[in-house]
Amino acid sequence: AIGGKCVLNVPDQNLLTCPQRTGGTCSWFGYCYQYRGPTRCVDGECLCQPGFCSDDDGKCHKKMPDVHADVVPINDESNKFPPRQEDLKTAVALSGGSTRAMVAAIGALRGMEDLSLISHVDLLVSVSGGTWTAGPYMFSHMSEESLLGATTVPSQLSLPELTKRPGAIGDAATHDITGLLKHAFFNHDDPHSIWVNTFNEILLKPLALGNTSKYMASDEGSLQRILRNNPHLQREDFVVPPIDRPRAFVMLGVLLAPLGHESEDNTVVSLQMSPDFSGSPFYSGGHGHINYDEES
């Protein structure tokens, strides 16, 4: 499937291991949208250049070697989590809710830092707007005050105090993104990437986290193990949390449905993303199978 539409698997153009069909068509002048990456125009269709593969959004990327990783089943029969996520006693959950959740999370983490409580937290969990704060907090190596802003005393707040620039994470919540959106529109940027690229510009780049191709590792030991098992990743960019952050970090998301299929309340699957393991523990469905209806 390309962009939710089924296309013929022509052996020399759309190999299952490295599909080259983007789902896009060429312009009158034989060009493809720049956001698709390295492409060529063949019979009016945009195909990836040799050595590049198309992803589900129709963008071409360099074919990478296979990645070797551990797979750990977590279900009713095998309900033991990997070591770093095992025997967690204390957790902090940061809810979603756009920039309101983002700034609420800043206040919560800043208060816990000020009270020296973070060292007692084993697990930080976040979703949506809460992750816009939790992710940079977990992976940036800037000081806590630079990230979250200086601690304030409620009884001493004043208008001059409230008009001061916030910390680096909070600054992104007050950023005017109109110019970035206009540039993306007139540049014909990939619609699926506009939101990602915008937050990358205003939030992650100022924190030296702006490479959207970064890999995560839970600590230096895990990073070295990953590189031993995958030598081709030696030159890739990894982010590792500072040692004074909570031991485990989980970002929550959902898998709605495969492209071209309907999503129902009973088919939504939880997706948990963390620096060591990502997947869907205890996912729903009878015996691990979920049935989806095709879009009408």
Side-chain angles (χ1 to χ4, degrees):
I2 301 293
K5 298 179 181 179
C6 295
V7 296
L8 186 64
N9 182 35
V10 180
D12 62 345
Q13 295 182 359
N14 196 33
L15 296 173
L16 292 177
T17 57
C18 183
Q20 292 186 306
R21 305 183 71 174
T22 67
T25 55
C26 309
S27 69
W28 286 97
F29 302 101
Y31 295 107
C32 302
Y33 278 131
Q34 186 177 3
Y35 74 76
R36 293 195 185 278
T39 54
R40 54 198 167 104
C41 191
V42 178
D43 297 329
E45 184 178 4
C46 292
L47 302 181
C48 294
Q49 291 280 4
F52 291 80
C53 309
S54 176
D55 60 19
D56 286 336
D57 287 337
K59 292 185 292 186
C60 300
H61 57 87
K62 191 74 173 176
K63 179 173 172 55
M64 293 287 290
D66 293 336
V67 174
H68 298 275
D70 295 329
V71 177
V72 179
I74 301 176
N75 48 45
D76 291 336
E77 289 74 32
S78 177
N79 56 16
K80 188 176 181 179
F81 278 80
R84 201 171 187 87
Q85 299 186 19
E86 188 181 17
D87 297 326
L88 302 174
K89 305 298 183 183
T90 307
V92 171
L94 301 175
S95 68
S98 191
T99 50
R100 291 174 297 178
M102 181 182 183
V103 295
I106 292 172
L109 292 176
R110 186 169 61 186
M112 297 189 71
E113 285 282 1
D114 187 55
L115 297 171
S116 300
L117 294 175
I118 285 293
S119 60
H120 301 285
V121 176
D122 297 321
L123 168 66
L124 183 62
V125 182
S126 62
V127 63
S128 192
T131 301
W132 297 346
T133 291
Y137 171 76
M138 283 296 297
F139 290 109
S140 174
H141 286 253
M142 295 174 60
S143 68
E144 288 79 7
E145 184 170 327
S146 298
L147 282 174
L148 305 172
T151 303
T152 57
V153 180
S155 62
Q156 298 176 5
L157 289 178
S158 61
L159 285 178
E161 183 69 26
L162 292 172
T163 55
K164 290 181 179 179
R165 298 301 300 174
I169 298 176
D171 193 55
T174 62
H175 200 290
D176 185 359
I177 62 174
T178 305
L180 291 172
L181 295 179
K182 285 183 178 179
H183 179 270
F185 177 78
F186 289 113
N187 198 45
H188 301 291
D189 285 354
D190 176 15
H192 297 283
S193 301
I194 289 176
W195 191 243
V196 174
N197 292 338
T198 298
F199 261 82
N200 187 49
E201 287 290 330
I202 66 173
L203 176 61
L204 299 181
K205 278 190 175 180
L207 306 179
L209 298 172
N211 180 356
T212 55
S213 298
K214 286 178 182 287
Y215 292 84
M216 297 185 293
S218 54
D219 54 32
E220 285 295 333
S222 298
L223 172 57
Q224 295 308 315
R225 176 180 53 80
I226 292 170
L227 296 179
R228 284 196 302 271
N229 295 335
N230 301 275
H232 60 279
L233 297 179
Q234 291 281 353
R235 295 185 178 181
E236 298 297 331
D237 197 1
F238 280 80
V239 289
V240 178
I243 59 174
D244 57 351
R245 297 295 190 259
R247 172 159 61 100
F249 175 45
V250 175
M251 297 170 282
L252 299 178
V254 293
L255 298 174
L256 297 178
L259 290 172
H261 293 75
E262 298 281 357
S263 173
E264 303 289 345
D265 289 344
N266 62 348
T267 61
V268 173
V269 176
S270 169
L271 175 63
Q272 299 186 15
M273 297 156 280
S274 66
D276 46 2
F277 282 87
S278 294
S280 302
F282 300 105
Y283 55 85
S284 57
H287 303 292
H289 298 287
I290 300 175
N291 297 318
Y292 298 92
D293 296 325
E294 292 186 3
E295 290 180 345
S296 55

